[in-house]
Amino acid sequence: MSKKRKVIQHRAPLPSKASVADVAEPRIHGHSQVTLQAGEAAALTGRATVTVTMGTAWLSGKVLAPGASASLSADAKFGGPLHIEALPDQQQVPLAATGCVKLDIESTADDHLEGSQADGRSYKVQLVPSVQMASRRYPQHWLQATEDIVQSGREGGSPSVAVVGSKGVGKSTLARLLVNSLLEVSPVVAFLDTDSGQSELTVPGLVSLTLLDKPLFGPAHMHMQQPTKSHFIGDLSPQSNPLHYLSSIRSLHEWYWNHSGTTKDGETVRPPLVINTHGWIKGLGFELLAQVLESTCPSHVLQLDTNNANSSLPPCVWWLPEDVQSHQRPAVYQLPSVGAVQQGMGNDVQDSPVSSWAPRQPPSEQRALQWLAFARQCTGHHLNSCSWELPAFATAADDLACSPPYRVPVSHFNVIFHEASIAAPQVLQALSGSLVALTKAAGDALAGNKHAGAAATTAVSECLGIGIVRSVDPVKQLLYILTPTPFELLQQATTLEVGKLELPLALLQTSTFLSPYISVWSITADGTGAGVMKARNTLLRNRLKPKQ
């Protein structure tokens, strides 16, 4: 007879072996004040508005001066806590220069938001002593490279920074640090996201350019937003159409170069540019990364290396020919990856409940959280107003089924399928339940293909947003589309593009609603037998295994 497991909800995490002091109760509703000494930090999880009332604080590259406020949302499981660190205030008189920082922390949840009576207005703050902050913050090499780039911005330059490395080395974390730091010297920072599989500001399947005027805190699903310019790739990898992928990135960089600048004293001043790249560094992925760097011409390249040489990129300026002049070569910083940093931390720091390094989620789970955020945006909910646990998927699925969609005649659009050609009589059936890109065609390249289901061409069209075709009316020839895209952009859409993107199964069925084309109890796993077989190169044949 198995022993029943006791479940305790909302249990506060236990302190680590190192001393971690609670500066407040584990769950605080409403308002509280926190005092930090120089070098100390407050580790915050939950949702709150933090205001600095005295001293200067530092948060992921963002400097918070007295009177500055920041609306924060952090999840200990998906992304880890946010650390608000006290800095010495250089503007204080010498006798008062203690570096003391006082914070006002107040819940940002309203009564109408989900969970406001339970966890919606709760947050947790723990004090991290100064002796522990060195191992919980960004590596010193990262901070030094970032400071060098910020200094070039202070001196009047417009640095263009590419972050490169293999999968799971911390490229997104470093890119957010760069954005927040560069916002200290520039009112706007351009973010060029070339990773269609794990995008930072949009749903997967896009490459985008976004002009940012606010810092980025937390993982990607916490700050998804409408990009300034984007193109639809339609897949998690550029492998299926590398030419379209490269053309899209060149188009975004050209737009940055021609339209993002402002005129000052007769000269065009462009904002700093941060380029987030994909982690596919072998074979075709290596060649694509080299062409992305060659096309965007960064002034600085931050290369994250692992302890395994097979998982690291070559040193120096490996993507340019050797005959390129030295003054045209960018500054390359070879930095340790997150994994290399964690190996030097020790188990005590990694297991701490207030550690900066949260366990990395598998890419599929990260994408599922981004689609959950997208579903919340489709139904008009604020991203910070919901939980990210599994029950939130069922709630979002019910909301998708109940929300009123846009009703659009199918004759209004050209319909393009990236992977196949669909016969005209079957287009509506193929669209039902699909994720589609609402795009504005480039010129007349797609003219004459109106809802004919033609295969995609090499023309680069502007993506205005992503939508869900919730249902179709074959009699009236109508589409019912859910999308968070602003209405003024929807009116410009002329084309629907269908790629290989899919919503997570948890968003397609609940106990109340069931999406079409899903059979219950017919298979034992999601999509068994439907996916492409993947090579497992790490397995040895029996004849190659060492003899015992």
Side-chain angles (χ1 to χ4, degrees), residues 375-376 378-381 393-406 468 470-471 480-483 507-515:
R376 301 291 297 185
C378 284
T379 55
H381 291 81
F393 283 85
T395 302
D398 286 337
D399 291 341
L400 286 176
C402 298
S403 297
Y406 289 102
I468 305 172
R470 201 177 70 179
S471 62
Y480 294 87
I481 301 176
L482 288 170
T483 179
L507 287 174
L508 294 176
Q509 62 180 4
T510 67
S511 58
T512 308
F513 301 100
L514 182 65
S515 177

Side-chain angles (χ1 to χ4, degrees), residues 289-498:
L289 179 59
Q291 293 197 42
V292 167
L293 294 176
E294 189 174 353
S295 299
T296 55
C297 301
S299 60
H300 302 75
V301 175
L302 305 188
Q303 181 170 309
L304 296 176
D305 294 327
T306 67
N307 293 331
N308 183 0
N310 293 328
S311 300
S312 298
L313 290 165
C316 302
V317 191
W318 47 268
W319 64 93
L320 289 179
E322 294 182 358
D323 57 352
V324 175
Q325 299 296 324
S326 59
H327 68 275
Q328 297 176 331
R329 291 175 172 263
V332 178
Y333 295 78
Q334 292 186 253
L335 307 175
S337 66
V338 168
V341 173
Q342 286 179 323
Q343 289 180 6
M345 283 182 171
N347 294 330
D348 291 349
V349 174
Q350 295 183 56
D351 296 338
S352 169
V354 293
S355 173
S356 294
W357 308 103
R360 183 175 183 267
Q361 303 296 322
S364 58
E365 292 188 11
Q366 296 180 34
R367 287 190 288 268
L369 291 172
Q370 289 180 286
W371 286 119
L372 173 59
F374 170 76
R376 301 291 297 185
Q377 291 175 328
C378 284
T379 55
H381 291 81
H382 194 276
L383 294 185
N384 292 341
S385 68
C386 67
S387 167
W388 301 101
E389 300 293 342
L390 188 59
F393 283 85
T395 302
D398 286 337
D399 291 341
L400 286 176
C402 298
S403 297
Y406 289 102
R407 185 178 62 183
V408 188
V410 68
S411 58
H412 180 75
F413 297 110
N414 299 316
V415 180
I416 303 298
F417 291 86
H418 280 233
E419 297 300 320
S421 295
I422 306 296
Q426 300 175 352
V427 168
L428 285 178
Q429 289 84 348
L431 286 175
S432 183
S434 298
L435 282 166
V436 296
L438 300 149
T439 65
K440 183 168 59 174
D444 297 327
L446 302 179
N449 289 335
K450 189 164 287 188
H451 67 85
T457 67
T458 56
V460 179
S461 56
E462 179 184 355
C463 182
L464 305 174
I466 300 294
I468 305 172
V469 181
R470 201 177 70 179
S471 62
V472 299
D473 187 336
V475 177
K476 298 181 179 180
Q477 295 287 294
L478 296 175
L479 301 175
Y480 294 87
I481 301 176
L482 288 170
T483 179
T485 307
F487 182 70
E488 57 272 15
L489 289 180
L490 286 179
Q491 292 179 308
Q492 303 176 30
T494 60
T495 306
L496 294 183
E497 297 188 34
V498 184

Side-chain angles (χ1 to χ4, degrees), residues 196-211:
S196 62
Q198 290 182 262
S199 49
E200 184 66 23
L201 300 174
T202 67
V203 296
L206 302 179
V207 291
S208 63
L209 177 71
T210 308
L211 300 181

Side-chain angles (χ1 to χ4, degrees), residues 22-25 28-36 42 49-54 101-106 123 125:
D22 287 338
V23 295
E25 293 295 327
I28 302 175
H29 294 265
H31 178 269
S32 63
Q33 293 183 336
V34 175
T35 300
L36 302 172
T49 297
V50 177
T51 302
V52 178
T53 58
M54 188 178 86
V101 173
K102 291 186 177 181
L103 307 174
D104 272 350
I105 305 179
E106 187 172 3
Y123 55 86
V125 183

Side-chain angles (χ1 to χ4, degrees), residues 202-239:
T202 67
V203 296
L206 302 179
V207 291
S208 63
L209 177 71
T210 308
L211 300 181
L212 297 169
D213 57 2
K214 295 180 181 178
L216 303 176
F217 301 122
H221 63 274
M222 308 291 280
H223 47 246
M224 287 173 52
Q225 55 191 276
Q226 179 72 26
T228 307
K229 209 80 171 176
S230 66
H231 296 302
F232 184 64
I233 303 301
D235 200 350
L236 303 179
S237 168
Q239 182 176 8

Side-chain angles (χ1 to χ4, degrees), residues 126-140:
Q126 285 186 315
L127 178 66
V128 183
S130 58
V131 294
Q132 301 178 24
M133 276 308 298
S135 58
R136 289 190 169 90
R137 295 309 309 145
Y138 299 95
Q140 188 60 37

